[in-house]
Every structure is written in C-alpha cells, then in structure tokens.
Amino acid sequence: VTVRGSGANAGRILLLGRGGQLGWELQRALAPLADVVAVGREAIDLADLARLRARVEAFRPTLIVNAAAYTAVDRAEDDEAAATVVNGTAPGLLAESAARLGVPLVHFSTDYVFDGRGPDGARRPYRETDAVAPINAYGRSKLAGEVAIRQVCGSHMIFRTAWVYANRGRNFLGTMLRLGSERTELAVVADQIGSPTWARVLAEATAQILVAAGWHRSGRATPGVSGVYHLASAGETSWHGFAEAIFAHVAARGAVVPRLAAIMSADYPTRAKRPLWSVLDGTKSAAAFGIALPDWRAGLALCLAER
Ligand SMILES: NC(=O)c1ccc[n+]([C@@H]2O[C@H](COP(=O)([O-])OP(=O)(O)OC[C@H]3O[C@@H](n4cnc5c(N)ncnc54)[C@H](OP(=O)(O)O)[C@@H]3O)[C@@H](O)[C@H]2O)c1
C-alpha cells in the first residue's frame, strides 16, 4: 500500500508491520509527512534473514520505520529462538540496511526490558539510562534488538513503549470487552503496574517527533538525536485498574458490566513472568522534542469513544 505524501523534499518511508496495532495507526499518522510504503510479512518477512537486506533496500526508502515484532510474550518462552530472530537479529540487519542507504531507522521496544523491581529497587518511573534486566524471553529478544541497532552506529531512534492497545488487534482492551459481555465476574491482576498506551497516540507522537527531528524529509537526518526514548502514556495503573476504567466507560453507556476481583500475579500463572513495575519516564522525549504522551485515561476515553 502506498499513500502519497506531498511537498518538497518528500521522503519515502518504508513502514514494516502494517497490520499490527501500531503499524495500522502509523500508516495514518505518517501519511501526511511523506510517501509511505506500508508492508506486511508477505512483502518483508523479518524471519527471512537471508532475503531481508535485498527486500528492504529495493524500496529505496529515505526512512525505515519498523513496527513489526514477535509480540506473543508467553509463546516466546517456548520459542525464544524464533522470537530472537525477529526481535533481535532482524532489527540489526534493518539498521545495517539503513546505514548503507544513509537513512535513519525508527524502531519500537518495550518496558519488558526492565525487571520490574524499579530502578535501584525504587518505585519511580524508569529512565532511559536505568539498568535493563529482562525477566522473560520476549524482553530478552527485544533487548537484543536494541543492542544490535546501537552497534551499527547509524541514525536511529528506539521508542520503548508499554501496554499497547487499540480497537483492533489482540490486546487487553478487546479481551476485557469480550469477557465482560460473557461473564458476570472477572478476576484481574492487580500487582503489575504500568501505563496502558493507545496505539494511535503512540503513532501520532512518533510522527510528531519525526517532524521535530526533520527525519520525515529526504536527506535531512540529524544523527545527534539518535538513541532510546521512553514513549508510553503518562500515569500508571494495574491491569485491574485498567479494567475498572474500561468498565466504567461501558457502564456509563448503560451496559451491564461484570464484577471485578483483584488478584495477584501468583494467582494467575502465565508461561512468561511479567515485570511488576514497568512505568516509563517520558522526560527525555519531552525535553528533546516537546512531545509527551497524555495520561492513560485520556487515551482510553478517546479510544472507547470510537467504538
Ligand atoms: N503490544 C504491546 O503491549 C507492546 C508493549 C510494548 C512494546 N510493544 C512493541 O511495540 C511494537 C508494536 O507492537 P504491536 O502491539 O503493534 O504488535 P502487534 O499488534 O502484535 O503487531 C505486530 C506486527 O508484526 C508483524 N510480524 C510479526 N512477525 C513478523 C515477521 N516475521 N515478519 C514481518 N512481520 C511480522 C505481525 O504480522 P502478522 O499479523 O502477519 O503476524 C503484526 O502485523 C513492537 O515493537 C512491540 O514489541 C508492544
């Protein structure tokens, strides 16, 4: 799918992962900035390492945006090699292609690179400079991708985000709305704390940062802004708190909602361990670009208003 942008110096953005929650929203958010070539797995498969370079470079992009990833956190525990190819090795090859073409790479990573004990054991939001220590295979694979991109030393931005949801795709919001219509009581984990982030807000913030950095224009990449940025909603809650907020909106429309029980992670065993605290500090992108995401409740209200 190619969406034509307009204007002088119009760039050509190659967007990978067009069918994902974030990729879908990025197609819209990037469209006014440049020509956007949005591709899915059938055009560029990140697991097909042998062909990745040729496939990517054939598009002659002026910017590569990678919204594709192996995101099945529990499945990754039994499939770490495959997750690592897609999340760890392929992003490094994308960075090499970007460097060969002399263009920047934009990539997304996760709050799950942290162990969830809080920076230095304190419950304050994680900064980009805080020590990473993933506790599951998905987190390890995403961290490998960050490292691989950094090692290439080309122009890049890596946006670590968290708890992404949207009105399409598989995510917590969709699961709650489905289960809430089927059951009278739901037990939801209350001891994992993070920041639910609507994919659209994340996509729009990404587009605005690219404009602020001039990276949407052909030949205008400023390498000085390269690095990792935390880009998740402001504020924090638990999955239980997120569910309460979702059902408060549903109830306000007059629909019947389930009773919510707060449970501990230990009462809801999953294949992969999750960090208990993964709130991200957005100060760096606010200072560098004047862009910070609003409180998670604001994103949720806007997202649900579309349903
Ligand atoms: N979802 C979250 O809660 C969350 C939290 C923190 C960070 N992130 C990060 O945010 C980014 C976007 O995530 P998302 O929520 O939009 O994910 P998503 O909805 O699961 O979408 C992932 C996309 O990647 C594609 N993909 C998977 N394997 C691929 C491969 N081998 N080759 C090409 N494409 C492949 C999928 O295509 P198919 O449909 O063909 O499988 C899908 O379109 C990712 O980097 C993710 O790690 C997500």
Side-chain angles (χ1 to χ4, degrees), residues 149-161:
I149 290 169
R150 205 172 306 129
Q151 275 171 353
V152 174
C153 291
S155 295
H156 68 273
M157 288 190 217
I158 298 168
F159 297 116
R160 285 192 193 131
T161 190

Side-chain angles (χ1 to χ4, degrees), residues 133-148:
I135 58 171
N136 59 38
Y138 168 75
R140 285 191 293 276
S141 72
K142 293 295 289 183
L143 179 58
E146 292 188 12
V147 171

